[in-house]
Amino acid sequence: MAEPAKTDGPLDRAFAIVGHVAGQTKAASVAEIAQALALPLPTAHRLIGNLEERGLLQKALGTKRYVVGNQLVTLSAKVIGAAFRTARRHAVLRAVAGEIGEQCEIGVVRDNMVAYVDSVRVSQPQGLQFNPGEAAPLHCTSTGKIYMSRLPEKAREKLCRALALTKFTDTTIADYDALMKVLEETRARGWAKTNEEYVKGVVGCAVPILSPDRELIACLGVSVPAARVSFAELDRFIGPLQKAAALLSDTILQDDDDGG
């Protein structure tokens, strides 16, 4: 059982508020936040106002209720990226890329886009290469599909309706109903595949990297030219990717002693 958050000082309270809002599945009011954290209402108003000014919290569209802010989302993606770029975790990525014989990458979702934070290439560049710092749409990437599939149903529906389902290739899923069906299949299966949906001639798959409490941290994926590996053949990569993702999950909250 998790220990209750410390709320002794202003910084402790601010962190507690951010943590509480980030852990909710829907927007929270000031009164709800104050009650959940046993904070005086005026104190909660003041701290939430300060967090809102800094972009760490923001009001849900058309309401006075709060969700995480864009600055916090961007910061969290950078923190996750830095955590995965340590020598120990990069070695895991390099090992699975070597086992598979194809480029492997780690991606997170930021501002409704997939941002790649680390990658290892073991073969000559062909087709799509996801490099750290690059971004790609949600609806036509394996990481994006995993992220959307794990959202609560109503949040998933809302996001899919809000996205610009741009058709990048003939096989891009640009229809809302078709995308929702694929996301249901992805949720049930636990991993995702893409069939030349972002760049023609490139297929890929990804698996989730989860925190100890089973929350999605990032995704581990592979991108490969369809001329070398067919869409159906991608399934053979899932086992090695899942083993590597489990190793990354086990180490993500551990201190590194290699200085990497």
Side-chain angles (χ1 to χ4, degrees):
M1 184 174 179
E3 294 182 2
K6 293 182 179 180
T7 56
D8 297 334
L11 187 58
D12 293 323
R13 292 174 176 179
F15 270 111
I17 290 171
V18 168
H20 177 75
V21 174
Q24 302 307 299
T25 57
K26 60 182 181 180
S29 69
V30 175
E32 289 168 345
I33 296 169
Q35 182 178 14
L37 300 176
L39 294 174
L41 193 58
T43 300
H45 268 290
R46 175 174 54 80
L47 290 172
I48 290 170
N50 289 337
L51 292 167
E52 184 179 11
E53 287 177 8
R54 289 159 176 79
L56 301 177
L57 296 180
Q58 64 188 38
K59 290 186 178 74
L61 188 63
T63 76
K64 294 183 179 181
R65 303 172 72 85
Y66 286 88
V67 295
V68 294
N70 290 333
Q71 289 295 327
L72 181 60
V73 174
T74 299
L75 176 61
S76 65
K78 289 180 178 179
V79 170
I80 291 171
F84 279 115
R85 285 193 297 271
T86 64
R88 179 188 300 176
R89 293 171 199 116
H90 188 77
V92 174
L93 183 61
R94 183 171 296 281
V96 70
E99 179 181 356
I100 288 174
E102 302 292 348
Q103 166 164 317
C104 291
E105 60 268 343
I106 293 174
V108 300
V109 172
R110 181 173 67 202
D111 295 333
N112 287 339
M113 294 286 288
V114 176
Y116 294 93
V117 298
D118 199 4
S119 67
V120 168
R121 181 182 304 157
V122 295
S123 57
Q124 291 298 315
Q126 295 184 48
L128 182 62
Q129 300 294 322
F130 287 124
N131 298 311
E134 294 181 354
L138 293 178
H139 69 291
C140 53
T141 55
S142 298
T143 292
K145 289 178 183 178
I146 290 173
Y147 169 78
M148 290 190 289
S149 76
R150 293 178 64 89
L151 293 173
E153 185 176 359
K154 290 196 177 297
R156 192 188 322 151
E157 292 173 355
K158 184 176 180 181
L159 177 57
C160 288
R161 291 192 184 280
L163 290 175
L165 301 181
T166 303
K167 197 167 181 63
F168 294 95
T169 72
D170 291 341
T171 54
T172 303
I173 302 172
D175 175 75
Y176 168 82
D177 291 328
L179 179 58
M180 290 297 293
K181 181 179 179 181
V182 168
L183 295 181
E184 280 293 340
E185 293 169 352
T186 300
R187 185 181 182 90
R189 188 173 51 206
W191 50 272
K193 297 167 68 176
T194 50
N195 187 17
E196 302 185 53
E197 296 168 37
Y198 186 33
V199 172
K200 187 173 178 59
V202 178
V203 296
C205 57
V207 301
I209 301 171
L210 305 176
S211 68
D213 57 0
R214 309 302 293 171
E215 292 293 326
L216 182 66
I217 301 174
C219 291
L220 173 61
V222 59
S223 305
V224 58
R228 189 158 67 231
V229 178
S230 72
F231 179 67
E233 291 174 325
L234 287 171
D235 292 25
R236 63 185 168 91
F237 296 146
I238 298 303
L241 288 174
Q242 288 176 327
K243 289 179 182 178
L247 282 174
L248 292 168
S249 297
D250 289 342
T251 65
I252 191 61
L253 297 182
Q254 295 176 5
D255 293 332
D256 279 298
D257 54 12
D258 55 19

